[in-house]
Amino acid sequence: MALIDRFFARAIRRGQLTVIHADGTRQSFGEADPALKPVTIRFGAGATRRILRDPSLGAAEAFMDGDILMEQGEILDLLILFASNNRWEDNDSVLFPSAFKKAVDAVMFRLGRINMERRSKRNVAHHYDLSGKLYDLFLDTDRQYSCAYFSAPGIGLEQAQLDKKAHIVAKLALKPGMKVLDIGCGWGGMALYIHQKTGAEVLGVTLSEEQLKVARQRALDAGVADKVKFELIDYRHVTGQFDRIVSVGMFEHVGTPHYRTFFRKVRELLTPEGVMLLHTIGRAGGPGVTDAFTLKYIFPGGYIPALSEIAQGYEGLRYFMTDVEVLRLHYAETLKHWYERTVAARDAITGLYDERFYRMWCFYLAGCHVSFKYGGLVNYQLQFSRSRDALPLTRDYMVEAERALHEPHKVTLRQAGQAG
């Protein structure tokens, strides 16, 4: 108990944490701060031992199993309390792992990053083939399961996800008649949006059988199944030539040993004047490791890359990186919406699964939120082209296209193509 209390005393300075140990003793840490909600937690008999044995996985599993109970506040409040006191950019954080722990983790997780084709499909199914009802409970109506784009203060999740699609499509510089490949197409929302707004033909590829069923049905329902097609296929087996390639929220599952394969394949699939937009979570710092909780319960085989690791994938392949944007806090806001929707749907989620799954999902979303809000995670939007001349000289075209997508009374690219 003394050891974990010393840790709490070092970790919590602003805000107040009260811990009720299994023997009934109560300890308080930090100083009250109006910006941070006070939190009280109760430890079960095995909580302290589990946390000390493996702080990341042990704390998560103790919460999932009810060995850590929230007496005051929610799990999000607890994680905010820790993370806000130990921000990524501060030098005195006690949450950063030691050099020894980093070395051990690097060895342990190295094999987990090697996503051979059969393993990739299994890893995707672990997360994305969960009940569609679950995703309907916390995502927007288009099931956009990636970082939204909050283009103005106070907008809701539905608008922010719509704005994300517009933000990406504007960067693609699409023209009528183009062919587009969507790698990791999810439930089809981006592909359908691209066709609706530009008239481009789109092929979406996924490794999730459940996502494929939904995406194909959506295309049929919209009457565009001949123009927006979806296939269950690994990106490594796609053939043909595409004017534009977009990949949103898929690169995190590629695995660092396969970045070269990914970029080489994308270049092969692009026309000589082709453009690709990659939207991925990234690390603000250098290479790291995936935490044990995420690997075990959420994204087996997943890894969030540093920008330097992405660069190693495409350097030397005769690409032009034509644009880079860093979305710093947009995913934190997105995850807050997802967390709040999950909490509101507690009864429905426990009905689909059980209380332990609900607690796991809350821990996952809350942990991700604080990682973007206070930790070292960001979102990168990286644009590549095979040609130095394929895109305008300035970024003004992005702003103009995005504005047009937000103003439906203006002539769309699709209408312009039909008129011509």
Side-chain angles (χ1 to χ4, degrees):
M1 188 186 304
L3 182 60
I4 201 167
D5 283 349
R6 286 201 296 271
F7 168 75
F8 289 147
R10 291 177 58 204
I12 305 298
R13 300 174 301 279
R14 295 173 46 249
Q16 194 162 45
L17 171 67
T18 300
V19 179
I20 305 172
H21 290 284
D23 63 1
T25 58
R26 180 186 294 255
Q27 297 285 339
S28 293
F29 307 93
E31 299 291 336
D33 187 321
L36 294 167
K37 296 180 181 178
V39 175
T40 301
I41 57 177
R42 181 183 294 274
F43 280 172
T48 299
R49 182 175 63 256
R50 296 170 80 169
I51 295 171
L52 291 176
R53 185 170 61 243
D54 187 335
S56 173
L57 183 60
E61 291 184 331
F63 174 73
M64 289 162 57
D65 294 336
D67 214 13
I68 295 177
L69 295 175
M70 304 300 305
E71 296 278 325
Q72 181 185 20
E74 302 176 2
I75 186 63
L76 179 60
D77 302 323
L78 176 64
L79 297 186
I80 287 175
L81 192 59
F82 274 98
S84 63
N85 274 281
N86 298 274
R87 300 183 307 164
W88 173 81
E89 60 265 42
D90 296 335
N91 293 324
D92 58 348
S93 171
V94 302
L95 300 184
F96 293 155
S98 66
F100 174 75
K101 181 67 164 54
K102 287 181 179 179
V104 172
D105 285 345
V107 173
M108 294 298 292
F109 296 146
R110 191 176 302 276
L111 290 177
R113 297 186 192 175
I114 303 176
N115 283 328
M116 305 310 290
E117 291 182 30
R118 282 181 296 177
R119 182 182 293 176
S120 292
K121 190 174 188 303
R122 185 170 66 248
N123 289 344
V124 167
H126 176 91
H127 192 93
Y128 295 100
D129 285 352
L130 292 169
S131 170
K133 293 180 181 178
L134 171 67
Y135 292 105
D136 285 338
L137 289 170
F138 76 95
L139 297 180
D140 63 302
T141 53
D142 197 39
R143 284 195 187 176
Q144 287 293 308
Y145 196 19
S146 57
C147 177
Y149 184 71
F150 291 83
S151 57
I155 66 174
L157 181 63
E158 300 290 336
Q159 185 62 49
Q161 290 292 14
L162 185 62
D163 290 350
K164 182 265 297 292
K165 287 177 285 188
H167 195 62
I168 290 174
V169 171
K171 291 184 177 185
L172 287 171
L174 283 158
K175 298 176 182 177
M178 284 186 169
K179 294 179 64 177
V180 181
L181 173 65
D182 182 357
I183 301 177
C185 62
W187 292 277
M190 178 63 74
L192 291 165
Y193 180 89
I194 288 172
H195 177 70
Q196 176 195 1
K197 293 296 184 179
T198 72
E201 294 186 16
V202 188
L203 172 63
V205 297
T206 179
L207 292 179
S208 167
E209 294 182 6
E210 292 302 314
Q211 289 184 334
L212 179 70
K213 292 176 187 175
V214 173
R216 283 180 169 174
Q217 189 59 52
R218 292 183 68 186
L220 284 170
D221 293 343
V224 295
D226 59 330
K227 300 295 184 181
V228 185
K229 300 177 181 179
F230 299 98
E231 299 292 341
L232 188 72
I233 185 173
D234 191 289
Y235 73 91
R236 286 166 277 209
H237 297 312
V238 176
T239 59
Q241 289 271 281
F242 299 87
D243 302 289
R244 298 292 185 262
I245 296 178
V246 63
S247 184
V248 180
M250 174 270 183
F251 195 72
E252 299 89 333
H253 306 285
V254 170
T256 48
H258 302 284
Y259 289 174
R260 198 75 173 171
T261 300
F262 177 87
F263 281 105
R264 186 179 288 115
K265 184 63 180 180
V266 166
R267 192 181 191 284
E268 172 192 317
L269 293 170
L270 282 172
T271 63
E273 296 297 309
V275 175
M276 185 255 198
L277 193 286
L278 178 66
H279 171 112
T280 181
I281 301 171
R283 298 176 187 270
V289 296
T290 305
D291 66 279
F293 166 75
T294 301
L295 279 179
K296 182 174 181 179
Y297 290 101
I298 308 300
F299 294 114
Y303 175 70
I304 295 171
L307 197 56
S308 59
E309 292 175 297
I310 300 174
Q312 290 175 15
Y314 70 83
E315 285 181 344
L317 295 180
R318 304 296 179 180
Y319 273 109
F320 290 96
M321 179 184 273
T322 45
D323 195 73
V324 180
E325 183 175 9
V326 183
L327 306 180
R328 290 164 289 109
L329 294 171
H330 292 265
Y331 218 158
E333 189 66 23
T334 305
L335 285 151
K336 185 178 179 183
H337 281 279
W338 290 348
Y339 175 85
E340 290 171 350
R341 291 182 175 207
T342 295
V343 171
R346 176 175 183 167
D347 291 344
I349 294 173
T350 55
L352 283 172
Y353 297 100
D354 55 26
E355 182 70 23
R356 189 174 191 268
F357 180 93
Y358 167 77
R359 286 169 170 265
M360 177 195 75
W361 209 254
C362 285
F363 192 93
Y364 150 56
L365 295 175
C368 288
H369 168 79
V370 300
S371 295
F372 285 93
K373 183 76 171 178
Y374 306 105
L377 297 188
V378 297
N379 252 84
Y380 292 121
Q381 287 190 351
L382 311 175
Q383 186 192 63
F384 300 89
S385 178
R386 287 184 56 180
S387 166
R388 70 178 73 236
D389 302 314
L391 294 162
L393 289 177
T394 72
R395 301 180 86 250
D396 293 350
Y397 76 93
M398 299 182 190
V399 178
E400 293 165 2
E402 191 167 356
R403 186 180 297 119
L405 289 166
H406 284 304
E407 298 178 16
H409 66 277
K410 288 194 172 184
V411 176
T412 65
L413 288 174
R414 181 174 189 168
Q415 290 169 332
Q418 291 171 343

